[in-house]
Amino acid sequence: MATGPDVVRVLVVDDEPLVRAGLRVILGAEPDIEVVGEASDGAEVPGAVAATRPDVVLLDVRMPRVDGIAATRAIVARDPAPRVLVMTTFEHDDHVLDALRAGAHGFLLKRARPQDLAQAVRVVALGESLLFPDAVRRLATAHPARGDALRSARLSEREGEVLRLMATGRSNQEIANELFLGVETVRTHVGNLLGKLGVRDRTQAVVAAYESGFVRPAL
């Protein structure tokens, strides 16, 4: 069993016992990840989070009683709140977009390779957002733009440039390199645009950028 201050504590939530068992085996084999608990439905999530105090909740987006979207809302309302990584079977799952709107920090396909699953947990635990730009673009394409919600935010020209690059999945370092800025300057721009948009993190900012039409999906 992994232990220590640098170990990522994970709560696994899925209605299928076999899936939970498989996730526990995969993540438990990692020296820096510990599965601290399981739940079989979103209704069990608040109690399980309170009991296990995970760093990351690995959450099936589709469950029969309380789904991953409602569970995500309950998780992110906590203070402090663990990070949320939702799982889906289908790449074009509309529930994923709803989960990201609700505050999930990323999503992962259930058919992902074991090493990709472990890395996704680490990325989200470190405070980064896990986005797959192509998948987000496809989801956005399937939904008509919901009006230019970013117009009232009054982003500066530079903040707009940063947001467009965020929407392609670039990290702060990559954005800094492309715009010839320091990483701290990029972090400042990201923080400012999150505040103007009224969103929790870069995941929600990217979703808003696509939904508003500020960033156009490449067809």
Side-chain angles (χ1 to χ4, degrees):
M1 179 183 295
T3 58
D6 297 326
V7 170
V8 180
R9 297 167 56 83
V10 179
L11 172 67
V12 173
V13 185
D14 195 291
D15 60 303
E16 297 184 19
L18 190 60
V19 172
R20 294 199 307 273
L23 292 171
R24 178 180 282 276
V25 169
I26 291 169
L27 295 176
E30 300 295 322
D32 58 339
I33 298 176
E34 178 188 2
V35 177
V36 295
E38 298 179 12
S40 61
D41 189 79
E44 302 171 11
V45 166
V49 169
T52 62
R53 296 178 7 183
D55 301 306
V56 175
V57 180
L58 186 59
L59 181 68
D60 186 5
V61 76
R62 290 179 179 267
M63 290 178 287
R65 290 194 299 152
V66 177
D67 64 20
I69 301 162
T72 295
R73 292 194 187 100
I75 293 167
V76 301
R78 298 180 62 87
D79 186 19
R83 309 281 290 179
V84 179
L85 179 59
V86 295
M87 298 178 294
T88 178
T89 302
F90 309 105
E91 190 167 352
H92 301 284
D93 192 344
D94 292 349
H95 280 55
V96 168
L97 198 56
D98 289 333
L100 295 175
R101 291 183 191 129
H105 301 94
F107 69 95
L108 191 73
L109 294 175
K110 285 189 175 182
R111 64 174 181 269
R113 297 177 303 172
Q115 59 266 39
D116 292 337
L117 169 63
Q119 185 59 20
V121 167
R122 294 185 186 102
V123 168
V124 170
L126 287 171
E128 298 293 333
S129 297
L130 187 73
L131 281 175
F132 299 92
D134 289 342
V136 175
R137 280 195 288 270
R138 284 191 289 270
L139 285 169
T141 302
H143 297 78
R146 307 196 320 183
D148 190 1
L150 273 75
R151 183 175 300 167
S152 61
R154 298 184 181 278
L155 298 183
S156 69
E157 182 177 352
R158 182 64 84 188
E159 289 163 353
E161 291 174 334
V162 170
L163 180 55
R164 288 187 177 92
L165 291 173
M166 283 168 53
T168 67
R170 285 173 170 81
S171 66
N172 285 350
Q173 182 64 66
E174 291 168 333
I175 294 172
N177 293 343
E178 183 145 345
L179 297 180
F180 303 101
L181 299 172
V183 175
E184 288 302 322
T185 300
V186 172
R187 288 197 184 102
T188 298
H189 286 311
V190 171
N192 289 342
L193 70 87
L194 294 184
K196 288 182 178 181
L197 295 176
V199 296
R200 293 185 184 91
D201 57 28
R202 62 199 296 140
T203 302
Q204 289 190 322
V206 168
V207 171
Y210 279 116
E211 287 188 321
S212 68
F214 184 80
V215 175
R216 299 290 180 181
L219 302 179

